Amino acid sequence: MDNVIGLEIIEVVEQAAIASARWMGKGEKNTADQVAVEAMRKRMNQIHMRGRIVIGEGERDEAPMLYIGEEVGICTQENASNVCDPEQLVEIDIAVDPCEGTNLVAYGQNGSMAVLAISEKGGLFAAPDFYMKKLAAPAVAKNHVDIRKSATENLKILSDCLNRSVEEMVVVVMDRPRHKDLINEIRSAGARVRLISDGDVSAAISCAFAGTNIHALMGIGAAPEGVISAAAMRCLGGHFQGQLIYDPEQVGTGLIGESKEGNLERLRSMGINDPDRVYNAEELASGETVLFAACGITPGTLMEGVRFFHGGARTQSLVISSQSKTARFVDTIHMFDNPKSLQLH
Ligand SMILES: O=C(COP(=O)(O)O)[C@@H](O)[C@H](O)[C@H](O)[C@H](O)COP(=O)(O)O
Ligand SMILES: [Mn+2]
Ligand SMILES: [Mn+2]
């Protein structure tokens, strides 16, 4: 799988990022999202694969493209019978977030990316549009920190694993009222908090790379983004745990339905009978082969954003493979027409 589509998925995230970046700073989050979706889908449908979207543009808003269950790949083309032989093609599941951080793009802020994760059929947890409590940390702390422990305990463990004082730790937390107590606890324990308005995928993955000055992600974000983060962390050997949040009182507002009972029923109907289960990265992205690709839309901790120049653009992407055990940073110049010069920096 890696060899067949590894290179193509770079182009998928690149095309989504370029499309979205044209709307950077224009205050129109829906358009920034929509164009990324269209570009991602268009490029994806040129790939010789039998893909199925397992995490996509939302089951609730009945999005017309990249919706959960949508078939993608070359066989969806109008002339499919000429170009595709389903028997010859690998069946894969795909989790996408064509514009992760739509607000960040719309308001010209750092940390947005076009992102996807791929595995063989059944290899990715089809997370509902619920919230998820998340804990991400570097590989050295894997299976030492635990989402069931308090932030204070985890910071102590993290500091032992990293051989650094708690005061040196930086924890990313989404800036939301639901995290008031968590933020106070982290600060009281002595660590420093980096608050982000959006984009917890970037924050989770950054924990796996030394030098990002991000040592942990704590708190509640969206479950689909949790699975995408887990796919990357699984390949990188980093620590990731997630626990679904089904009680609206814990978040106040947002993605999930109005009652705890209704949400529990919905989870049961999806075959999730233990709603409090803690999932680790290997369970959220359990496939034998997992591939992750992201391309910066606006600049971030891991990647540059899209930089346009006359007749072209330059992008930076990150492709991570469990098969080849690689994390590749890919720097690409895109020539739209006949650029007068190619921008090196
Ligand atoms: O920031 C995020 C928004 O993603 P997107 O809609 O694709 O631009 C994600 O990184 C978060 O994980 C998550 O979606 C968010 O925490 C849930 O929303 P909120 O209720 O505002 O916290
Ligand atoms: Mn997102
Ligand atoms: Mn999105």
Side-chain angles (χ1 to χ4, degrees), residues 9 21 40 85 88 107 170 208 260 292 295 314 324 345:
I9 61 167
M40 180 173 270
D85 175 3
Q88 300 292 315
Y107 302 113
V170 176
K260 182 174 156 182
F292 168 96
C295 180
R314 190 159 184 158
S324 62
H345 297 292

Side-chain angles (χ1 to χ4, degrees), residues 23-44:
W23 290 88
M24 195 272 282
K26 292 192 174 273
E28 292 183 40
K29 61 176 277 191
N30 291 341
T31 314
D33 192 32
Q34 180 63 26
V35 295
V37 171
E38 286 168 10
M40 180 173 270
R41 184 172 182 260
K42 187 172 171 207
R43 184 63 188 87
M44 218 173 229

Side-chain angles (χ1 to χ4, degrees), residues 33 37 56-57 96-102 113 225:
D33 192 32
V37 171
E57 280 300 286
V96 301
D97 194 345
C99 181
E100 153 64 357
T102 44
M113 54 167 78
E225 277 85 343

Side-chain angles (χ1 to χ4, degrees), residues 119-157:
S119 189
E120 67 269 7
K121 198 174 178 189
L124 296 170
F125 179 64
D129 256 355
F130 275 37
Y131 283 91
M132 180 182 268
K133 185 177 170 188
K134 307 175 189 181
L135 174 63
V140 71
K142 188 174 171 69
N143 299 332
H144 296 290
V145 289
D146 193 316
I147 202 167
R148 287 160 283 224
K149 292 187 169 128
S150 70
T152 312
E153 286 174 282
N154 280 326
L155 283 164
K156 174 78 184 67
I157 296 167

Side-chain angles (χ1 to χ4, degrees), residues 9-138:
I9 61 167
I10 300 173
E11 292 191 5
V12 171
V13 289
E14 284 175 350
Q15 290 307 315
I18 291 169
S20 193
R22 293 189 190 282
W23 290 88
M24 195 272 282
K26 292 192 174 273
E28 292 183 40
K29 61 176 277 191
N30 291 341
T31 314
D33 192 32
Q34 180 63 26
V35 295
V37 171
E38 286 168 10
M40 180 173 270
R41 184 172 182 260
K42 187 172 171 207
R43 184 63 188 87
M44 218 173 229
N45 282 339
Q46 293 163 2
I47 302 180
H48 284 257
M49 63 172 178
R50 277 164 75 194
R52 181 179 64 128
I53 302 294
V54 289
I55 285 180
E57 280 300 286
E59 51 203 291
R60 301 198 149 208
D61 51 8
E62 290 175 6
M65 285 186 191
L66 297 183
Y67 56 85
I68 292 156
E70 181 176 351
E71 304 282 335
V72 290
I74 193 77
C75 298
T76 63
Q77 299 279 353
E78 267 178 30
N79 58 344
S81 52
N82 300 334
V83 290
C84 124
D85 175 3
E87 298 305 312
Q88 300 292 315
L89 297 177
V90 54
E91 267 189 285
I92 56 176
D93 281 356
I94 310 174
V96 301
D97 194 345
C99 181
E100 153 64 357
T102 44
N103 284 317
L104 301 174
V105 180
Y107 302 113
Q109 293 163 347
N110 287 3
S112 59
M113 54 167 78
V115 63
L116 58 79
I118 287 184
S119 189
E120 67 269 7
K121 198 174 178 189
L124 296 170
F125 179 64
D129 256 355
F130 275 37
Y131 283 91
M132 180 182 268
K133 185 177 170 188
K134 307 175 189 181
L135 174 63

